[in-house]
Amino acid sequence: MRRPSSARTVWQEKSFREVIFSQILNSPQTLPHRIKFYLYPLACLLTLPVLAAPSVSITVTAPVASAGADANLARIYSTQPWLPCTKTNQSFGLAKANKVKPAATTLPSDQFNFEITVVNEDNLTASGAAASDGIMDNHLYVFLVNPNANGSNSQFQQAWLAGGSDAVFPYAQIWVVTNPAFNDNPASLQPYSNITEVDPAKAIYKPADSFLGSEFSTTLFGAPMLFDKAARGKRLPQGPWLITAFLVNANRAVTLSSAEIQNPQYWEAWDAKPFILGTPFFKPNTGSGRGPVKGACH
């Protein structure tokens, strides 16, 4: 039985389309149209807003010539950023040959350099509409976290009234970096008993509208953070610590609760790095310290 002349096989249909399309493209009269055919979608791509992927990166290092970079210490520990937190020259370890303590060569020059690199984004307007408005979308937060402090707010408040920031060592889990420091001013480091006591609206390190572009990098406090006996050194209790930085959408931060800010589900990007002051074991009340302050990385 003869197939109707109007019917074509799949192969015939494909060949027919290819022939027609080839004739259109190869015709001299259609050159302007061909140029438009290729350039139009390209122009559309170029006019779309750049969708930068937000990111945060933290690096913790001990500066050269500081106690944490001391060659005598580097041979007995590795990997973890660590400061010895001694107020005088001290020795560490035993001599291999005669088991006699080596000479006290480690200087009390405790410093850490905290470098933060951020890629912000500009994909939303202030109203939340999906469009670029020249203002970055996200606030930057920076916290120092002491996971071993007990976080009791009542004890924190009593200690604060009695002795200020030095007295709250056993209770302050969160130390908020509220803004870039000026002349190593320790006022930019504010202790809180726990994360639920932190007001997200008042704990912003760098607001979204203060970014001059999507890329931002900074050294916290403008220079290596001093823990030693130098003037205005930032005393913190000895033990394991964590620095964390994260981006939160500015529109969301307006309604973000203290309980929600601890949840990475509400963050656009983040990073965290551990470091150790003095000892891996939390020492808020004993050990070296400047003056009457005990347990401090002085």
Side-chain angles (χ1 to χ4, degrees), residues 74-252:
R75 64 182 178 81
I76 62 173
Y77 84 102
S78 61
T79 306
Q80 193 74 256
W82 173 58
L83 297 181
C85 298
T86 62
K87 61 181 179 180
T88 59
N89 291 10
Q90 297 289 335
S91 61
F92 287 81
L94 298 175
K96 295 180 179 180
N98 53 20
K99 303 299 181 183
V100 175
K101 291 181 68 175
T105 57
T106 301
L107 299 176
S109 55
D110 293 310
Q111 302 175 43
F112 269 147
N113 211 44
F114 297 100
E115 298 282 350
I116 299 180
T117 301
V118 174
V119 176
N120 212 320
E121 60 184 348
D122 178 17
N123 297 332
L124 302 174
T125 65
S127 63
S132 171
D133 60 2
I135 300 175
M136 293 299 110
D137 296 342
N138 307 306
H139 296 322
L140 174 64
Y141 291 83
V142 181
F143 293 171
L144 299 182
V145 183
N146 185 347
N148 291 291
N150 72 4
S152 167
N153 192 51
S154 61
Q155 291 177 297
F156 177 95
Q157 295 298 335
Q158 292 175 8
W160 184 268
L161 292 175
S165 61
D166 291 336
V168 300
F169 283 172
Y171 319 109
Q173 289 182 342
I174 306 296
W175 296 71
V176 174
V177 185
T178 53
N179 51 60
F182 177 73
N183 289 336
D184 195 40
N185 185 352
S188 61
L189 198 59
Q190 181 67 36
Y192 291 85
S193 56
N194 58 70
I195 190 66
T196 60
E197 298 299 321
V198 177
D199 183 351
K202 297 180 180 179
I204 300 169
Y205 173 78
K206 186 172 179 61
D209 59 7
S210 71
F211 283 81
L212 300 180
S214 61
E215 296 183 0
F216 170 75
S217 61
T218 186
T219 298
L220 287 191
F221 313 110
M225 182 175 175
L226 304 177
F227 295 88
D228 62 11
K229 60 185 179 181
R232 295 181 299 193
K234 298 171 180 64
R235 296 191 295 270
L236 293 175
Q238 296 188 37
W241 283 81
L242 190 75
I243 178 173
T244 183
F246 51 94
L247 293 172
V248 175
N249 180 269
N251 294 326
R252 172 175 282 175

Side-chain angles (χ1 to χ4, degrees), residues 257-282:
S257 70
S258 298
E260 290 172 331
I261 198 174
Q262 66 180 303
N263 189 345
Q265 181 180 0
Y266 295 95
W267 305 345
E268 303 301 320
W270 66 281
D271 194 16
K273 291 292 188 299
F275 60 96
I276 295 176
L277 302 179
T279 171
F281 307 103
F282 186 39

